[in-house]
Amino acid sequence: MLQKLFLVFAFCALTLGTFAQDAYLNAKSEDTDKIYPGNTPYEVKIYPQKFKAKKPKNVIFLIGDGMGVSQVFSGITANQGHLFLENFRHIGFSKTQSADNYITDSAAGGTALACGVKTYNGAIGVDADTVKIKSILEEAADKGLATGLVATAAITHATPASFIAHQPSRNMYENIATDFLNTDIDVFIGGGNDHFTKRKDGRNLVKELEDKGYTYETDINKIAKVKSGKLAGLTAGVHNGRVAERGDMLPVATSTALNILDNSKKGFFLMVEGSAIDWGGHANSTVYIVEEMLDFDQAIGKALEFAAKDGETLVVVTADHETGGMALTGGDMSTGMVKADYPTTSHSAIMVPVFAYGPGAEEFMGIMENTDVHDKMKKLLLSK
């Protein structure tokens, strides 16, 4: 009897030990994902603050999807104390609430920034009554300015879609792709090739784009060689992979778009989205967030390099919302190590930063609504 009890006790202890070991390994794995160990920093250049005019000829609008102050500071820490964002002396905060929710999604947040209206979560380029509202990109095109969109996600995803499409739901990807044919956008680079070519209605929108004069490419190296004309760069079936897979696609795409748009004598509007900072937040992965934040900052560096040389370009950087409620719980500026924790895998309601550089940058200081960011850019670029 004692032998049986001993065997039962031993089995339970072994089982509990195995469970405890599994729990430890899982926790260790999760903790590892929440710690960015650091890497070799890239060089950050500081640009002059002197500009040729009081109003901009061009606007470059960069959106870090899911980027709150913690995400920004995780990048500063990871790059051992410096980001290109340090060039921005005019800084404010944006309230992100949507028309129907204290916590916005990317569609409503993107539409507020693109069109200047608060709308319901899920809406793309329409107001709360599903009425189409022209975006700043479309209004710029109407006035003869060149226009462009760049994203690491599908170009048909919520944020970029808000600047060119008008649909009641962000999930209507094929309808959103069709909307690209309704606007004379000069260049767009991102994922989403399947929404143009593998459609339920059988249409090949790439063929239709080519008939309208677009150069179509899927390889970022070939895309980078395009210097003029209209460009449709669709670099993935749906979304581009993480930085390790896609490389410097976002900074290269940003530079490519600027090279093309700079041919416009009237000026241009370009929106660039660092899409996957948000996905790192949803995954509660500090490593993912930091990788994407550093990649986005290098795209910001390309925008600043252009703006500093040009002298007539306003650069605005903000987010549609924050994701994960990221809390920095440790770090080391000398090594780039970042440690964080998260109360949620969803979006949060906190204000997000707004950074501005160039002619009119002083307009973007203080606390504002997300729709105010749109209104200020539109006034500076289009009210002439």
Side-chain angles (χ1 to χ4, degrees):
M1 183 69 176
L2 287 172
Q3 187 178 16
K4 287 183 179 179
L5 285 171
F6 175 78
L7 289 171
V8 169
F9 175 79
F11 174 76
C12 290
L14 180 63
T15 303
L16 287 170
T18 302
F19 285 158
Q21 185 180 31
D22 287 345
Y24 169 76
L25 290 173
N26 288 336
K28 189 176 180 182
S29 174
E30 289 175 4
D31 287 345
T32 299
D33 201 41
K34 290 180 180 177
I35 299 175
Y36 178 82
N39 208 333
T40 304
Y42 55 85
E43 184 181 356
V44 169
K45 187 173 181 179
I46 299 301
Y47 292 99
Q49 299 284 331
K50 294 182 180 180
F51 312 108
K52 294 179 183 178
K54 292 185 178 180
K55 279 193 172 185
K57 176 183 176 183
N58 316 303
V59 168
I60 307 171
F61 186 32
L62 299 108
I63 300 174
D65 199 311
M67 183 190 74
V69 173
S70 291
Q71 284 80 355
V72 171
F73 201 68
S74 74
I76 290 174
T77 305
N79 205 48
Q80 298 183 19
H82 301 286
L83 289 181
F84 281 105
L85 274 170
E86 290 180 44
N87 282 279
F88 294 81
R89 295 183 180 178
H90 298 91
I91 302 170
F93 287 93
S94 165
K95 294 181 281 186
T96 64
Q97 283 62 48
S98 66
D100 70 339
N101 206 303
Y102 186 62
I103 299 177
T104 190
D105 78 329
S106 291
T111 297
L113 295 169
C115 304
V117 296
K118 296 273 189 179
T119 190
Y120 60 89
N121 284 1
I124 297 291
V126 297
D127 67 13
D129 297 316
T130 69
V131 176
K132 295 180 181 180
I133 307 294
K134 278 193 174 184
S135 72
I136 184 173
L137 183 148
E138 292 172 302
E139 293 196 57
D142 287 345
K143 291 205 169 187
L145 278 70
T147 57
L149 291 175
V150 172
T152 46
I155 205 71
T156 48
H157 207 234
T159 306
S162 298
F163 286 81
I164 198 166
H166 305 279
Q167 300 295 338
S169 171
R170 61 183 290 173
N171 298 320
M172 300 171 72
Y173 296 114
E174 294 188 3
N175 296 50
I176 290 167
T178 304
D179 282 344
F180 275 76
L181 291 162
N182 299 328
T183 303
D184 289 326
I185 186 170
D186 292 88
V187 53
F188 56 94
I189 307 170
N193 193 46
D194 289 355
H195 303 142
F196 291 80
T197 58
K198 298 179 180 179
R199 299 167 54 85
K200 293 178 182 178
D201 61 9
R203 288 175 66 180
N204 184 342
L205 299 189
V206 165
K207 177 65 169 60
E208 295 181 37
L209 286 165
E210 288 177 329
D211 289 343
K212 289 187 68 176
Y214 285 84
T215 296
Y216 163 68
E217 295 289 356
T218 59
D219 185 330
I220 190 62
N221 295 313
K222 292 181 179 178
I223 288 168
K225 294 178 181 178
V226 181
K227 305 296 183 184
S228 61
K230 290 184 176 293
L231 172 64
L234 297 171
T235 54
V238 183
H239 302 306
N240 290 285
R242 288 177 64 166
V243 172
E245 178 185 337
R246 71 175 189 265
D248 58 355
M249 171 262 168
L250 186 64
V252 169
T254 301
S255 291
T256 302
L258 289 171
N259 287 337
I260 294 170
L261 297 175
D262 194 33
N263 292 313
S264 171
K265 293 181 180 180
K266 289 189 175 182
F268 64 78
F269 174 84
L270 171 65
M271 192 289 290
V272 177
E273 184 196 28
S275 316
I277 301 168
D278 173 64
W279 301 342
H282 283 298
N284 285 175
S285 170
T286 306
V287 174
Y288 199 169
I289 289 171
V290 169
E291 288 174 351
E292 296 297 335
M293 187 66 226
L294 296 178
D295 181 62
F296 181 55
D297 184 63
Q298 291 174 77
I300 293 169
K302 297 297 185 184
L304 286 168
E305 181 182 15
F306 176 91
K309 183 179 179 181
D310 173 75
E312 297 181 278
T313 300
L314 170 67
V315 182
V316 179
V317 182
T318 191
D320 47 357
H321 54 74
E322 191 275 345
T323 305
M326 185 184 196
L328 299 181
T329 57
D332 189 329
M333 286 287 188
S334 65
T335 65
M337 185 275 285
V338 181
K339 183 179 180 182
D341 213 339
Y342 308 85
T344 180
T345 57
S346 299
H347 300 169
S348 73
I350 63 172
M351 293 188 295
V352 295
V354 182
F355 303 89
Y357 170 95
E362 65 279 359
E363 294 287 333
F364 296 86
M365 299 173 68
I367 295 174
M368 64 198 87
E369 293 288 347
N370 50 10
T371 52
D372 293 335
V373 178
H374 163 276
D375 294 347
K376 292 172 188 292
M377 289 191 300
K378 178 179 173 181
K379 178 183 176 182
L380 288 165
L381 183 64
L382 302 179
S383 299
K384 296 177 180 178

